[in-house]
Amino acid sequence: MNTTSDYQKGQRKLFKMVINRLKKAQTISEAKPSLQTLLQLAEHGDVDALMVLGLALLMEDKPWYDAESGRAALEKAADSDSPVAQYYLGKFLLEGEHGIPADPITAKVQLAARSSQHQLIEDTTRPSKLWKNGSPPKPGGRDNLLGE
């Protein structure tokens, strides 16, 4: 019997496989099956696939790089309340990365939306909830969302 947890595990495994194939691909023809898989899933309402597609299109060293389409996909995923998309869009807007022009005001809105969803600012007693490795990066680190 499949559960939501099984589905999520399978989805994560699929995304890891797709991302690894895209990292290794050097031509559009090599990347096409992976990009098509993400596009099909996104067209059927999979917000995570849309977010991964957006990130894939923002791979600057790849021939399929498309900042406009990548940003549009990330924005759509962020508007669908994907906290990961909100984080990356906010980060790229804040720092002007991957061909996305810096826009600090919009960046703060995206990062604040993510913060409120995951209580990043309010829940300071549980560092494992704040950071992937359980502790914040060193002061001034690129991913230090709390600005310490």
Side-chain angles (χ1 to χ4, degrees), residues 49-120:
L50 182 62
M51 183 265 311
V52 173
L53 178 63
L55 292 174
L57 293 172
L58 292 172
M59 295 174 134
E60 292 177 285
D61 61 335
K62 301 296 184 178
W64 58 84
Y65 170 74
D66 183 346
E68 187 176 327
S69 297
R71 179 181 179 166
L74 273 182
E75 285 176 341
K76 190 171 180 180
D79 290 344
S80 298
D81 294 327
S82 166
V84 177
Q86 290 167 345
Y87 167 76
Y88 279 112
L89 182 59
K91 182 179 182 304
F92 297 161
L93 286 167
L94 189 63
E95 299 178 10
E97 292 182 343
H98 300 283
I100 296 177
D103 181 350
I105 294 171
T106 304
K108 289 177 184 176
V109 169
Q110 290 299 328
L111 293 172
R114 181 180 190 274
S115 295
S116 66
Q117 282 187 346
H118 291 280
Q119 300 177 350
L120 286 175

